[in-house]
Amino acid sequence: MKILAIESSCDETAASVVENGRKVMSNVVASQVPEHKIYGGVVPEIASRRHAEAISGVVEKALSDAELTLDDIDAVAVTYAPGLIGALLVGVNYAKGLSYGRKLPLIPVHHLRSHIAANYITHQELKPPFFCLVVSGGNTMMVEVKDYTDFKIIGRTRDDAAGEALDKAARTMGIPYPGGLNMDKLAKDGDNTAFRFPTPKVENCPYDFSFSGLKTSVINTIHNAEQKGTEINKADLGASFMKAVSNCLCKNTEKAMLDLGHKTLVLAGGVSANSVLRNDITELCKKHKWKLYLPELSLCGDNAAMVGSQGYYEYLSGNVADLELNAYAGMSIE
Ligand code: KG4
């Protein structure tokens, strides 16, 4: 079954053709990074407009890269939640048009479910059940993936997502957008013990995260230095902050996996590209002899191949929408 998948939840317009959920026949991503860079972050209205301009060309390229036409496509999958509402609507409406015009099944895909599915492409042998740490720009959570379309949230952030904290810290440090990625590059040789940060805990909820205090702490460190006129070593500060974020993620993951008896960990979401987190999670899994699956770097960020993969399993479980399908800014992965 060949699925044409569309993703437009944030600042990448993406389309892909995926066969039987695992074989990527094409994967086209049009990034809006240069456009948003001058504002230091994603401007939702600009994102929607650029998606509307780019989507036809991106879908056409996905088909031509796969050496296929719409006649060869069996279904259309689209990210419909969560994300920027105006951005999501562009993809959803385009997919609805294709579905109606070509009489193709329309498959709604949850964005975070698709981030997890990026691992089904990287690791062809991977099958649920497994434990998953999802760390993206807008969400941070731990979930039990009981089956391809059956998820149970074990813990989640009570405030900022880890990616959001990294991006805001980077912006305050004067690191250009996309902050998380550029901080990772800049801090490669930084001393991660140079600055001390708290390890926030959520009282009585050992599996939940809180990153806003950590974010405020790094911002205060920068402002204090500015007021005193002292120079901060950005590589050291970035390395120390990334280590603090990674420590929080690893600590809760370790506790939850031990408590719940899991032995297979999957990492997902844009922040899974982070070198510190990849390293620390690898060490954690080595320590406990757990099996670890990391998504390949090219599939960590937003893309449509992961939507095509998850879309296949949604279709198999009967999750098909009609033309009433809407987009939603927020929606539980469950
Ligand atoms: O999953 P994603 O592409 O978007 C959402 O679905 O939210 O994640 C984007 C997030 C941003 O916060 C970005 O700064 C972060 O992933 N990111 C990174 C790295 N690459 C992307 N954060 C830390 N280190 C990286 N190498």
Side-chain angles (χ1 to χ4, degrees):
M1 178 183 195
K2 293 187 184 72
I3 293 181
L4 172 64
I6 294 172
E7 150 66 32
S8 68
S9 66
C10 190
D11 60 345
E12 328 274 0
T13 318
S16 171
V17 180
V18 181
E19 190 171 26
N20 296 335
R22 300 276 178 160
K23 184 178 167 206
V24 180
M25 303 185 72
S26 64
N27 188 18
V28 181
V29 182
S31 172
Q32 303 176 359
V33 163
E35 199 116 10
H36 297 288
K37 201 174 190 162
I38 51 174
Y39 303 102
V42 179
V43 183
E45 181 59 26
I46 293 176
S48 315
R49 286 165 192 259
R50 295 298 166 264
H51 284 309
E53 286 164 9
I55 194 151
S56 301
V58 167
V59 169
E60 272 168 32
K61 184 154 172 34
L63 287 168
S64 71
D65 283 2
E67 300 182 359
L68 299 172
T69 70
L70 279 174
D71 291 338
D72 304 305
I73 297 299
D74 301 302
V76 181
V78 64
T79 309
Y80 77 118
L84 301 173
I85 191 70
L88 286 166
L89 278 169
V90 175
V92 166
N93 283 318
Y94 197 89
K96 277 159 77 167
L98 278 177
S99 162
Y100 179 70
R102 307 294 300 203
K103 300 192 170 39
L104 293 169
L106 176 64
I107 310 166
V109 177
H110 188 283
H111 185 54
L112 297 181
R113 290 187 179 194
S114 70
H115 267 301
I116 296 171
N119 285 282
Y120 300 142
I121 299 168
T122 306
H123 309 284
Q124 296 282 317
E125 75 285 8
L126 176 64
K127 290 186 177 111
F130 52 79
F131 191 82
C132 185
L133 173 63
V134 187
V135 208
S136 76
N139 293 274
T140 300
M141 62 178 69
M142 298 186 294
V143 287
E144 281 180 334
V145 182
K146 293 170 178 290
D147 205 341
Y148 290 104
T149 56
D150 186 2
F151 301 80
K152 183 176 177 209
I153 298 173
I154 301 301
R156 68 177 100 200
T157 181
R158 293 297 187 95
D159 39 56
D160 292 345
E164 202 175 331
L166 286 163
D167 289 342
K168 298 245 170 77
R171 186 151 74 176
T172 314
M173 286 164 71
I175 296 172
Y177 170 83
L181 173 65
N182 286 325
M183 187 192 283
D184 198 6
K185 285 185 189 158
L186 178 107
K188 240 179 186 44
D189 300 315
D191 173 5
N192 66 18
T193 61
F195 293 85
R196 288 185 144 263
F197 290 108
T199 308
K201 285 191 198 117
V202 180
E203 211 170 330
N204 299 325
C205 297
Y207 305 145
D208 281 354
F209 303 99
S210 169
F211 292 104
S212 78
L214 210 47
K215 181 188 71 184
T216 306
S217 174
V218 72
I219 290 172
N220 286 345
T221 305
I222 298 161
H223 288 163
N224 284 344
E226 277 169 2
Q227 279 159 11
K228 286 185 197 147
T230 48
E231 186 84 16
I232 276 196
N233 181 320
K234 285 186 190 173
D236 288 351
L237 184 61
S240 305
F241 187 65
M242 288 192 302
K243 188 72 186 169
V245 170
S246 175
N247 281 346
C248 293
L249 294 167
C250 289
K251 199 168 107 320
N252 288 16
T253 302
E254 181 176 35
K255 174 153 182 55
M257 284 189 62
L258 286 174
D259 288 354
L260 301 169
H262 284 281
K263 291 187 166 32
T264 302
L265 175 63
V266 171
L267 191 62
V271 183
S272 61
N274 184 261
S275 60
V276 178
L277 179 61
R278 285 176 94 92
N279 188 57
D280 290 351
I281 274 286
T282 303
E283 290 305 313
L284 177 69
C285 289
K286 260 193 210 151
K287 175 176 141 191
H288 291 289
K289 298 193 172 57
W290 291 336
K291 185 107 187 80
L292 172 65
Y293 293 94
L294 300 172
E296 65 193 80
L297 286 177
S298 64
L299 294 177
C300 289
D302 291 344
N303 66 84
M306 65 189 194
V307 181
S309 176
Q310 182 61 28
Y312 175 70
Y313 296 104
E314 297 290 345
Y315 180 81
L316 292 185
S317 76
N319 186 7
V320 176
D322 60 21
L323 296 175
E324 299 289 308
L325 179 68
N326 204 350
Y328 301 92
M331 180 176 285
S332 170
I333 194 172
E334 292 175 342

